[in-house]
Amino acid sequence: MNLSLSRRSALRMLASLAASRTIAHAQWDPARRYGPPRTTRRLQVGSSTLQVEFATGALDLSDDVVMKRIETAAHAVATYYGSFPVPRTRIFIVPVADRSGVVQGTTWGDVGGWPAFTRIRLGQHTSPQELAADWTITHELVHLAFPSLPDDQHWMEEGLATYIEPIARVQTGELPAKQIWSDMLDGMRKGEPQPGDEGLDRTHTWGRTYWGGALFCLVADVEIRVATGNRKGLEHALRAIVTAGGTIDHDWPLPRALEIGDGATGTRVLTQQYRKWSTSPAPVDLAKLWQQLGVQHSGSDVELSASATYAKIRDAITTAKA
Ligand SMILES: [Zn+2]
């Protein structure tokens, strides 16, 4: 099975379902909708506790295999952020009859006394291979590591999760770097502004929300590394935001988070880029960026050039930090 193709088709499907939204302070009680869980398990990731509840319904997969996948996803997020972003969280696994694969993920902040609540709708006939290739659970857990934003900045929440999920998985050895650069080469152009675009805060299309947000993150990551001689990157900014209390259970205006992020890198990259991209199209010269990063097509494959101007920056992005 082609992992990158499945990622792409899954991203398209996710959009058509309008899935994976983060909604702060949801007031609903999952137990009321799904009944009491058939079983509850706990997972320790560093000093954080993940409570995983399985709703009733048939699953071909064993609970152990599902727990292992969640542990792998949580480990990737903890690696990128230096530690798991919230002290405890709740994950609800809902079997979906007659389907296979992870059907949908949704994460809410501040639910029933928990900092976050993630619902994963998991197909009854999901195979261990399909679950091992899943990106959804990692994407959802990335959402925990940023404050909830007003609707107009939803692109930042989805852009971060779209950009960081694959990088975190390379940092832990789950995916090869070449694969995610290949996916970005294919995906980032979908985030470019189209005619009539009024900037990320005012253009709420699927392309601008997921890939436009991801493109914002990629450009910022590269700019921070250029400005700091490759000593700091986007993850240093994002770790500082989490440390300052900017997690999904808190509502923040985006500029507050970006100020803290810039403070951690000693730059103004995030604040200035947001000023430019939020209310005007700000197209990116992607051909030039890929050339600088040394990511290029080679037949049907992608090649990473060691001699490109930003080759070290490219490698730093996918290297785990202490
Ligand atoms: Zn999402």
Side-chain angles (χ1 to χ4, degrees), residues 20 139-140 143 158:
S20 206
H139 173 109
E140 292 306 322
H143 280 314
E158 293 308 338

Side-chain angles (χ1 to χ4, degrees), residues 222-223 226 289 291-294 308-315:
V222 171
E223 289 299 321
V226 169
L289 182 60
Q291 190 187 33
Q292 288 171 321
L293 288 168
T309 321
Y310 293 167
K312 285 196 167 65
I313 285 177
R314 182 196 67 221
D315 292 342

Side-chain angles (χ1 to χ4, degrees), residues 24-30 49 51 53 86-91 108-118 247-250:
H25 310 307
Q27 294 304 311
W28 64 284
D29 175 7
T49 305
Q51 178 167 307
E53 298 166 41
V86 293
R88 57 198 196 101
T89 193
R90 199 173 161 199
I91 299 172
W108 293 267
D110 190 18
V111 179
W114 292 78
F117 178 90
T118 297
T247 48
I248 190 170
D249 47 329
H250 295 98

Side-chain angles (χ1 to χ4, degrees), residues 6 14 23 48 76 93 95 113 124 137 150 154 189 214 231 264 289 299:
S6 79
L14 179 143
I23 302 164
S48 300
I93 304 293
Q124 176 187 357
I137 298 172
H154 187 52
R189 58 194 167 82
R231 283 190 298 274
L289 182 60

Side-chain angles (χ1 to χ4, degrees), residues 10-302:
L11 270 173
R12 277 193 290 273
M13 189 173 81
L14 179 143
S16 68
L17 292 170
S20 206
R21 270 191 60 83
T22 57
I23 302 164
H25 310 307
Q27 294 304 311
W28 64 284
D29 175 7
R32 202 173 295 164
R33 178 159 172 193
Y34 298 105
R38 120 180 112 66
T39 187
T40 298
R41 304 270 296 260
R42 275 177 199 88
L43 187 64
Q44 202 67 27
V45 179
S47 58
S48 300
T49 305
L50 283 70
Q51 178 167 307
V52 182
E53 298 166 41
F54 291 79
T56 49
L59 277 181
D60 294 353
L61 290 168
S62 70
D63 293 353
D64 284 347
V65 168
V66 176
M67 291 300 290
K68 192 76 205 154
R69 181 70 202 124
I70 294 170
E71 187 175 19
T72 300
H75 174 56
V77 173
T79 298
Y80 187 89
Y81 287 93
S83 61
F84 196 75
V86 293
R88 57 198 196 101
T89 193
R90 199 173 161 199
I91 299 172
F92 209 67
I93 304 293
V94 180
V96 182
D98 303 323
R99 293 282 296 272
S100 70
V102 177
V103 177
Q104 187 206 38
T106 312
T107 298
W108 293 267
D110 190 18
V111 179
W114 292 78
F117 178 90
T118 297
R119 180 186 62 193
I120 299 293
R121 299 179 66 230
L122 181 60
Q124 176 187 357
H125 299 308
T126 305
S127 69
Q129 292 76 14
E130 279 174 307
L131 190 68
D134 169 70
W135 54 271
T136 318
I137 298 172
T138 316
H139 173 109
E140 292 306 322
L141 296 181
V142 171
H143 280 314
L144 310 188
F146 205 76
S148 292
L149 302 174
D151 285 351
D152 281 347
Q153 283 89 43
H154 187 52
W155 60 267
M156 186 65 181
E157 297 171 326
E158 293 308 338
L160 277 168
T162 303
Y163 180 65
I164 290 162
E165 166 263 313
I167 291 172
R169 292 170 69 197
V170 175
Q171 290 189 354
T172 51
E174 191 187 327
L175 295 177
K178 200 167 136 175
Q179 183 187 324
I180 73 154
W181 288 114
S182 171
D183 285 349
M184 282 199 253
L185 190 62
D186 180 68
M188 288 296 173
R189 58 194 167 82
K190 298 173 198 160
E192 286 273 45
Q194 300 301 309
D197 191 280
E198 295 179 64
L200 289 171
D201 277 2
R202 303 191 295 202
T203 312
H204 305 305
T205 58
W206 170 78
R208 290 293 267 165
T209 301
Y210 284 84
W211 284 110
L215 185 56
F216 181 95
C217 294
L218 170 65
V219 171
D221 206 352
V222 171
E223 289 299 321
I224 291 167
R225 290 174 201 279
V226 169
T228 61
N230 208 13
R231 283 190 298 274
K232 303 278 184 188
L234 183 63
E235 69 259 60
H236 297 97
L238 296 174
R239 288 176 176 195
I241 293 165
V242 170
T243 301
T247 48
I248 190 170
D249 47 329
H250 295 98
D251 291 319
W252 281 18
L254 180 54
R256 177 178 169 191
L258 301 183
E259 287 281 346
I260 291 168
D262 278 342
T265 63
T267 73
R268 300 296 293 157
V269 169
L270 290 169
T271 303
Q272 285 172 0
Q273 193 178 311
Y274 175 63
R275 198 168 296 148
K276 196 169 149 206
W277 289 43
S278 54
T279 54
S280 64
V284 174
D285 186 346
L286 272 173
K288 184 178 164 196
L289 182 60
W290 294 130
Q291 190 187 33
Q292 288 171 321
L293 288 168
V295 179
Q296 59 218 22
H297 281 294
S298 169
S300 60
D301 204 3
V302 161

